[in-house]
Amino acid sequence: MSDQAPKKFAGYLVEFETPHDIMVAATSVRDAGFTRWDTHTPFPVHGLDHAMGLRGTALPWIVMLMGVTGCAVGLGLQWWTNAHNYQFVVSGKPFFSIPATIPVTFELTILFSAIGAFLGMILLNGFPRWHHPVFSSERFRRATQDRFFLSVEAEDPLCEEDKTGEFLRSLGGSHLEKMEV
Amino acid sequence: MTTMTLAHLNDTSEDVTQRPPLVLGDNDFASITEKVCSAVEMTRTPKIWWVLFGISSSVMTMLLALIGYLFYTGVGVWGVNNPVGWGFAIVNFVFWVGIGHAGTLISAILYLFRQKWRTGINRFAEAMTIFAVICALVFPGIHVGRVWMVWFLFPIPDQQLWMWPNFRSPLLWDVFAVGTYFTVSLLFWYMGLLPDIATLRDRAKTKLRETVYGVFALGWRSSNRHWSRYERAYLILAALATPLVLSVHSVVSFDFAVSQLPGWHTTIFPPYFVAGAIFSGFAMVVFLAAIARKIYGLQEIITLRHLENMNKIILATGSMVGYAYGMEFFIAWYGGNPYESFAFASRAFGPYWWAYWIMVSCNVICPQLYWFKKIRTSVPAMMVIAFFVNVGMWFERFVITVTSLSADFLPSSWDMYWPTWVDVCTLIGSFGLFFTLFLLFIRWLPMVAMAEVKSIMPQAHAHGHSTGSAAGMAPSKPKIAEVVG
Amino acid sequence: MCRKTSEGPFDDREDTVSAPNRAIDLSGEQITLGPVGDRVTRIAGAIGVLGLVATALLGMQGGVEGQARAMNSYLVAFCFFLSIMLGALFFTLIQHVTRAGWSVVLRRFAEAIAANAPLMAVLALPILVPIALGRDLLYVWTSSEALAHDHLMAGKVGFLNPTFFLIRMVVYFGAWSLMGSWFFRKSVEQDTSGDPNLTVKMQSASAPGLFVFAITLTFASLDLLMSLEPNWFSTMFGVYFFAGSALAFFATLPIVSYFTQKAGRLVGLISREHYHDMGKFVFAFIVFWAYIAFSQYMLYWYANIPEETVWFLRRQTGQWESLSWLLLFGHFIVPFLALISRIPKRAKGTLIVGAFWMLLMHYADLYYVAMPHLSEGVIPLSLMDLTAMLGVGGFFVASVATRLRNRSLVPQRDPRLHESLAFENF
């Protein structure tokens, strides 16, 4: 914000005080047909996904894929190293047997799945992203503390600087602000 | 410690007609944020913190010095001998891994069971998990003897021999189990921290704080689109961590139980180790939580009911451990194997009888005091009991490891094991490492999961107390009508 | 992260706002079995009588061997229903000890099934009376001839002898009958009195109850099942039997709920959310059973000590091997994959099919434990297996139906019923 270039309109930020208010507002914004908008709440508000019309996530599929990979890697690693690449006899045990491979296979399945769940969440959410129009607002700092925000980005095809401002004002938030970058 | 005098802080009533609030006092989102963050944001670190940090970091330095001494001189500085090749190192390893289990139980299993009270203590306990596993990982690392070969624990291609680790050995399973456990716990912990680090970033007063917390917050902007995936990932991680935590101590128990040694080879070991791990872990959480909530004034968030609930879990798991002790003894006789019955008789009445009875009295008898509500809800009493539980659980691992090894099948190879001063000081030093990490954590990171606590407060309920819900969003009400009677 | 639904046992919100002790109007619901209960009792009772008579007659035909075969069929059937009863008792106890709210609407089923304990004591007589009379055909350790030849077994005679065995049985069935009947009686009492103190009483009794439960279940499983092959032992056997019992009950619960609703009872009370939770418990105990079964197997397989592996070897020889594979896939892998997603758990149809399948697998599991000592390498399937199941099962179901005939199918004035009704998964 310290650079000298003129600031550009980047969207609107509406502030609400309770989870209930933002829920009502989100329903209106959803019904108005906006696409590039979001709500920001200090904690996940139950029912907001529905109010925003969000659909499910592909995350479980990523996790499943990673889990299957981990399982295959676990079995493959043990078979390849101990039974194929360099066989050696230890106390007369078979080179490869299912019961003895289960612990490592299990652990690698979990490890891969968990990494899939974590990285999947990070990547699907577009992290890391240290710059975003919402951060231009000082008030927005309370989004991680005790206030509830609704943002509409300028890139939304329906977003017009004046008309959208009017519409958002009608939602009954406690504060309306232009985001500028 | 003094018991609390404020009436509103006692939330342990047994009124079945209504649930006690999860967060006490007149708190809202702002006050929760303030209370939790103030511990991290205070400009002057409390004196007591410096005192504790000074002690624990000096003890940790002793650990580092002793490890240096060990590397320089060799494992001869320890008391291990033939036949007791596994001494304090493995005892401490199992002890510390066990301590970690409570964190995962709270963050994952209690989450799946919808125990909302967990939100007050989960961050704290998860951090403890990670530090305990770090302490645990020190020991297998340093006890291998030729420490420069420690990379051979991992399947890394080797240019000279082109050999691989032996995957048929339970010790290698341990590497994978504990390694996975550490990684997954760290991911889970960091993911839980993400929104709270963002809170610290947004409250930062200095550029440096804002930048450091900002980098780790990854640009979290508490977007509901993010929360949606975040919560799904959280649920999946909880569902993965639940079998993981069972598997970790089960695999640790396999180290012993797949052998043919009397006293080690018994099928109840996996669930028995898991129960014992949770038991000792909860004792550690209670002990630390009782101190931290007092110092940082978090009694409204980590309430007496939290402590009471944990004490009930300690009672339950302590009794499971007692059940396992009993079953082992019974089957040792029932099985009719003279070596097996000898191993158990010598545990209780042999040269290490004192260790055995310390174990039984601390682990089985002492938690039975929690049948009394007065004791369950008394902070000084629970700190004493939690201390003894941890002593007992350390001795349990000592009894298992040492008694069985020192007197096995062949009397001519029997020998006693005694720790050296290096053994004892290394054990003490590991506590220094643990507490140093823990103190750094409570100084720089929020010790309560703020976002999670906010989500279980009555104000978080979008429908409950509002005058009306927007069309189409009413929660599915039961079809029956309610009449006030 | 905890979403805000009114489900958890430590839930606050709305409850604290409205007046405590509110009654819930259930007038729009059919909450007693009524005539349906009579019909179930008659049919099931008739099946029970026929089943037991048929088993006895079939057993008589084959001489001593046939009688022994009939006794083994009866033992498996008995243990099958005993495990469901014990699972129900466990469920009742654990719901009270955790102060659970979500499950209140389902708890009466568990209480009614757990109150079958005295019936199971009566049904145990065909096993116990021959032991008392010294004419037992089940347990080899009752034979003095066998004891004379087997020194290992003779060493256990202090524990495995008819007198002590019978005393123990009296203790187990006495404890279960006391607990099962008491919890049912107190809960029903609350239907009329609405006294919340009864909940307090049941909660305080549940914790010591779990202790008694754990110890009696463990030793009962050692006595009834493990001692069929008295030279084999496993410290985990009690936990193994417990895992199967809990699973059997969690599979029974959605089936009972489903058919109750099919008969027009509790239609608006048991929701998809409750089925989802029952499905989760079925899934959880499938995994738990697999964990216990694998640990027990792996530790003996790996150490490879003959006196321990003999038990598994017998079960991997000849036709028994196919039963081992069936358990691996049918009791774990297939249902695990089938129920891992939330969709099949929330769809009644798939959940009921899964539950029936798990009961079948539980029977296979008990068969796998109890039968191989009879015949080496051959699965001795017999008509008596079926008739014994029908016999014990008939009485079991008839008794539950009679018990619930005129009583509410939900603990209608439980202080947490409203939580259970409003409960929602996320």
Side-chain angles (χ1 to χ4, degrees):
Chain A
M1 273 180 283
S2 56
D3 55 301
Q4 305 308 311
K7 286 182 178 169
K8 200 172 128 254
F9 169 67
Y12 279 108
L13 204 55
V14 200
E15 184 179 323
F16 298 90
E17 307 214 339
T18 70
H20 173 70
D21 295 341
I22 192 140
M23 187 89 87
V24 178
T27 317
S28 310
V29 176
R30 175 195 70 190
D31 293 343
F34 287 94
T35 46
R36 298 289 302 267
W37 66 289
D38 211 337
T39 53
H40 308 265
T41 57
F43 54 86
V45 175
H46 183 48
L48 203 50
D49 289 1
H50 179 69
M52 286 179 68
L54 297 186
R55 280 180 305 161
T57 150
L59 199 60
W61 295 104
I62 298 177
V63 174
M64 203 186 82
L65 216 71
M66 286 294 281
V68 172
T69 312
C71 184
V73 167
L75 279 174
L77 179 71
Q78 294 176 81
W79 172 80
W80 193 78
T81 54
N82 277 198
H84 180 76
N85 183 254
Y86 193 112
Q87 294 189 335
F88 55 105
V89 178
V90 178
S91 51
K93 294 189 192 327
F95 296 119
F96 187 79
S97 52
I98 291 295
T101 54
I102 284 183
V104 171
T105 309
F106 173 82
E107 301 299 341
L108 285 180
T109 308
I110 296 283
L111 180 65
F112 276 59
S113 310
I115 291 176
F118 179 76
L119 286 186
M121 185 276 288
I122 294 288
L123 294 178
L124 290 175
N125 281 348
F127 292 142
R129 178 177 177 183
W130 286 288
H131 292 279
H132 192 275
V134 291
F135 291 134
S136 66
S137 158
E138 263 307 299
R139 297 183 75 95
F140 187 73
R141 285 171 178 266
R142 291 182 74 174
T144 54
Q145 300 175 49
D146 59 345
R147 282 292 191 273
F148 304 81
F149 288 86
L150 193 151
S151 66
V152 178
E153 290 178 32
E155 275 134 65
D156 191 302
L158 290 182
C159 183
E160 294 164 40
E161 198 162 345
D162 305 328
K163 237 177 77 187
T164 306
E166 278 312 302
F167 167 68
L168 291 174
R169 205 179 301 279
S170 74
L171 295 178
S174 56
H175 189 262
L176 178 80
E177 182 176 348
K178 269 187 199 176
M179 294 188 282
E180 289 176 324
V181 283
Chain B
M1 299 295 301
T2 53
T3 35
M4 285 176 302
T5 45
L6 292 169
H8 90 276
L9 290 179
N10 192 341
D11 58 336
T12 58
S13 92
E14 287 288 345
D15 184 356
V16 296
T17 58
Q18 58 179 23
R19 303 284 188 189
L22 293 162
V23 177
L24 303 179
D26 190 20
N27 279 301
D28 56 17
F29 301 140
S31 70
I32 291 290
T33 316
E34 193 59 45
K35 278 181 184 153
V36 176
C37 289
S38 66
V40 184
E41 289 167 344
M42 48 180 63
T43 41
R44 283 189 46 160
T45 311
K47 262 206 194 73
I48 176 93
W49 188 92
W50 280 115
V51 172
L52 294 173
F53 186 75
I55 299 171
S56 53
S57 57
S58 334
V59 176
M60 181 183 74
T61 314
M62 176 177 77
L63 172 73
L64 298 177
L66 286 170
I67 291 175
Y69 177 56
L70 171 83
F71 287 175
Y72 186 75
T73 321
V75 282
V77 300
W78 285 349
V80 285
N81 58 18
N82 203 346
V84 187
W86 274 4
F88 265 36
I90 196 91
V91 175
N92 299 343
F93 165 72
V94 181
F95 172 77
W96 279 116
V97 175
I99 293 288
H101 277 46
T104 321
L105 186 106
I106 292 168
S107 58
I109 300 183
L110 293 187
Y111 174 72
L112 295 182
F113 279 117
R114 295 192 294 256
Q115 300 291 308
K116 291 181 180 171
W117 58 277
R118 66 180 262 292
T119 55
I121 48 172
N122 68 340
R123 166 71 42 74
F124 196 86
E126 284 169 38
M128 211 190 68
T129 295
I130 290 165
F131 306 142
V133 176
I134 290 175
C135 291
L137 285 172
V138 167
F139 289 99
I142 61 174
H143 101 296
V144 292
R146 278 175 289 176
V147 77
W148 53 93
M149 298 295 282
V150 78
W151 55 270
F152 205 73
L153 286 168
F154 305 96
I156 298 168
D158 161 55
Q159 295 304 318
Q160 275 94 49
L161 289 169
W162 201 254
M163 273 180 76
W164 298 101
N166 174 22
F167 277 102
R168 287 153 284 176
S169 158
L171 298 181
L172 197 63
W173 307 343
D174 246 4
V175 173
F176 281 82
V178 183
T180 301
Y181 185 48
F182 181 71
T183 316
V184 174
S185 303
L186 194 64
L187 291 180
F188 205 7
W189 185 59
Y190 179 57
M191 206 178 97
L193 270 169
L194 209 51
D196 288 355
I197 295 180
T199 306
L200 289 172
R201 171 200 66 196
D202 290 346
R203 289 169 59 94
K205 296 276 189 296
T206 67
K207 196 79 202 155
L208 178 68
R209 282 183 82 96
E210 186 170 0
T211 313
V212 173
Y213 286 122
V215 166
F216 284 103
L218 302 179
W220 179 265
R221 51 184 190 274
S222 39
S223 145
N224 193 55
R225 292 174 196 275
H226 295 167
W227 276 124
S228 180
R229 294 187 196 100
Y230 177 93
E231 284 203 282
R232 182 50 80 88
Y234 201 99
L235 176 64
I236 292 172
L237 278 178
L240 291 168
T242 299
L244 175 64
V245 70
L246 289 182
S247 83
V248 173
H249 234 56
S250 300
V251 170
V252 169
S253 82
F254 289 167
D255 291 348
F256 300 91
V258 297
S259 72
Q260 298 174 340
L261 198 66
W264 284 11
H265 177 60
T266 174
T267 50
I268 202 157
F269 256 36
Y272 150 48
F273 266 51
V274 173
I278 290 165
F279 177 56
S280 64
F282 266 96
M284 190 65 106
V285 177
V286 165
F287 191 80
L288 295 179
I291 300 173
R293 72 198 272 274
K294 177 84 184 165
I295 294 178
Y296 290 100
L298 295 171
Q299 288 101 328
E300 290 177 341
I301 302 170
I302 304 173
T303 70
L304 205 51
R305 195 177 185 84
H306 285 90
L307 300 176
E308 191 195 2
N309 282 341
M310 289 194 274
N311 290 338
K312 286 179 180 171
I313 295 176
I314 289 175
L315 171 58
T317 46
S319 306
M320 285 182 205
V321 168
Y323 167 94
Y325 295 163
M327 277 313 284
E328 281 185 329
F329 253 83
F330 174 70
I331 296 290
W333 170 80
Y334 180 91
N337 180 333
Y339 294 101
E340 200 71 37
S341 30
F342 169 79
F344 281 92
S346 88
R347 269 187 195 178
F349 309 110
Y352 291 108
W353 63 271
W354 44 273
Y356 184 83
W357 292 107
I358 291 176
M359 164 186 112
V360 170
S361 32
C362 290
N363 291 350
V364 185
I365 300 168
C366 164
Q368 303 303 323
L369 291 169
Y370 282 150
W371 283 106
F372 304 103
K373 194 177 176 77
K374 259 220 157 65
I375 295 177
R376 237 170 27 221
T377 53
S378 149
V379 175
M382 69 179 82
M383 288 186 66
V384 173
I385 292 176
F387 175 79
F388 279 116
V389 165
N390 272 316
V391 170
M393 282 309 293
W394 188 88
F395 271 97
E396 179 194 296
R397 280 66 176 248
F398 179 85
V399 166
I400 291 171
T401 308
V402 172
T403 58
S404 283
L405 282 174
S406 70
D408 62 359
F409 301 98
L410 202 61
S412 62
S413 60
W414 292 0
D415 201 358
M416 289 293 283
Y417 165 85
W418 297 109
T420 62
W421 67 272
V422 182
D423 281 311
V424 176
C425 292
T426 309
L427 168 63
I428 296 169
S430 66
F431 280 89
L433 173 61
F434 179 78
F435 285 110
T436 305
L437 291 170
F438 198 82
L439 286 163
L440 288 174
F441 156 70
I442 59 173
R443 182 66 191 81
W444 298 108
L445 289 169
M447 72 181 108
V448 171
M450 288 180 279
E452 294 191 50
V453 169
K454 287 174 199 167
S455 77
I456 51 135
M457 292 171 73
Q459 297 94 316
H461 200 41
H463 305 296
H465 306 292
S466 316
T467 42
S469 310
M473 300 191 313
S476 50
K477 282 272 171 210
K479 285 184 197 128
I480 47 139
E482 289 177 353
V483 290
V484 177
Chain C
M1 188 103 4
C2 280
R3 295 266 191 117
K4 293 127 301 294
T5 50
S6 35
E7 77 274 24
F10 289 87
D11 199 77
D12 58 324
R13 277 172 293 104
E14 293 174 280
D15 336 328
T16 49
V17 179
S18 49
N21 228 347
R22 59 186 168 176
I24 293 177
D25 179 18
L26 297 169
S27 56
E29 286 286 340
Q30 273 211 286
I31 56 165
T32 51
L33 276 181
V36 176
D38 287 335
R39 216 172 321 136
V40 172
T41 305
R42 272 200 304 275
I43 297 171
I47 292 176
V49 173
L50 286 177
L52 288 193
V53 170
T55 313
L57 289 178
L58 288 167
M60 297 299 184
Q61 283 177 345
V64 176
E65 209 161 292
Q67 288 168 31
R69 185 67 197 74
M71 283 308 295
N72 275 280
S73 292
Y74 186 79
L75 178 72
V76 175
F78 176 78
C79 286
F80 180 84
F81 287 98
L82 179 70
S83 66
I84 293 178
M85 183 228 104
L86 289 171
L89 184 57
F90 170 72
F91 183 81
T92 310
L93 292 167
I94 204 82
Q95 299 311 309
H96 280 304
V97 95
T98 57
R99 281 82 170 124
W102 73 274
S103 60
V104 174
V105 75
L106 303 170
R107 212 184 58 226
R108 184 56 51 82
F109 293 133
E111 289 162 350
I113 295 175
N116 259 358
L119 171 79
M120 294 315 289
V122 174
L123 288 172
L125 291 178
I127 300 169
L128 304 184
V129 170
I131 295 180
L133 298 177
R135 312 173 73 171
D136 178 61
L137 296 168
L138 274 172
Y139 299 102
V140 62
W141 48 263
T142 54
S143 141
S144 48
E145 195 189 336
L147 283 172
H149 294 291
D150 191 333
H151 293 294
L152 188 54
M153 195 159 73
K156 305 179 186 192
V157 91
F159 183 73
L160 291 180
N161 63 70
T163 318
F164 192 24
F165 183 88
L166 293 171
I167 292 173
R168 288 198 301 273
M169 287 296 152
V170 171
V171 172
Y172 308 149
F173 284 99
W176 298 333
S177 302
L178 273 177
M179 286 197 280
S181 314
W182 188 82
F183 277 96
F184 181 74
R185 213 170 50 239
K186 288 291 151 191
S187 182
V188 167
E189 199 181 315
Q190 199 177 42
D191 285 351
T192 44
S193 75
D195 181 4
N197 283 328
L198 288 169
T199 305
V200 177
K201 270 189 196 157
M202 287 190 278
Q203 284 176 358
S204 352
S206 60
L210 274 172
F211 274 66
V212 176
F213 172 83
I215 291 164
T216 48
L217 174 135
T218 302
F219 280 95
S221 70
L222 302 188
D223 284 338
L224 288 170
L225 294 169
M226 200 170 91
S227 81
L228 287 169
E229 287 166 69
N231 287 343
W232 186 78
F233 52 87
S234 166
T235 40
M236 184 120 90
F237 196 82
V239 186
Y240 181 78
F241 182 71
F242 162 74
S245 302
L247 176 59
F249 173 72
F250 281 118
T252 307
L253 192 57
I255 295 174
V256 174
S257 310
Y258 177 76
F259 284 105
T260 309
Q261 289 194 301
K262 207 138 193 238
R265 271 70 178 164
L266 308 184
V267 176
L269 300 183
I270 304 176
S271 70
R272 185 184 290 269
E273 307 297 334
H274 296 113
Y275 282 99
H276 186 183
D277 261 25
M278 292 187 253
K280 288 187 214 166
F281 272 111
V282 173
F283 180 76
F285 275 89
I286 288 171
V287 177
F288 184 68
W289 176 89
Y291 163 64
I292 297 297
F294 170 73
S295 300
Q296 181 167 275
Y297 177 80
M298 218 274 281
L299 293 176
Y300 280 174
W301 171 84
Y302 196 101
N304 205 12
I305 298 174
E307 71 204 51
E308 294 168 351
T309 49
V310 61
W311 197 83
F312 289 106
L313 188 63
R314 184 170 290 145
R315 283 155 183 79
Q316 288 176 8
T317 307
Q319 292 176 355
W320 291 112
E321 193 185 349
S322 48
L323 187 57
S324 301
W325 285 109
L326 177 71
L327 285 179
L328 174 60
F329 281 91
H331 203 306
F332 175 57
I333 295 178
V334 173
F336 173 82
L337 294 175
L339 286 176
I340 195 165
S341 157
R342 66 174 5 217
I343 299 158
K345 282 181 281 212
R346 289 178 75 83
K348 266 184 226 175
T350 45
L351 181 61
I352 299 303
V353 171
F356 269 116
W357 174 256
M358 288 325 296
L359 284 179
L360 184 67
M361 284 302 110
H362 179 56
Y363 182 78
D365 183 27
L366 289 171
Y367 205 89
Y368 167 89
V369 169
M371 284 293 186
H373 77 107
L374 264 188
S375 84
E376 202 85 25
V378 180
I379 298 180
L381 276 182
S382 143
L383 189 58
M384 287 179 278
D385 293 331
L386 184 66
T387 56
M389 278 296 281
L390 292 175
V392 181
F395 282 109
F396 196 84
V397 173
S399 157
V400 175
T402 314
R403 191 166 299 120
L404 287 178
R405 190 198 174 288
N406 290 320
R407 286 173 177 131
S408 168
L409 294 167
V410 281
Q412 51 182 345
R413 296 185 70 183
D414 187 290
R416 294 188 185 119
L417 179 61
H418 62 99
E419 267 181 48
S420 181
L421 295 176
F423 142 73
E424 203 185 328
N425 275 293
F426 48 83

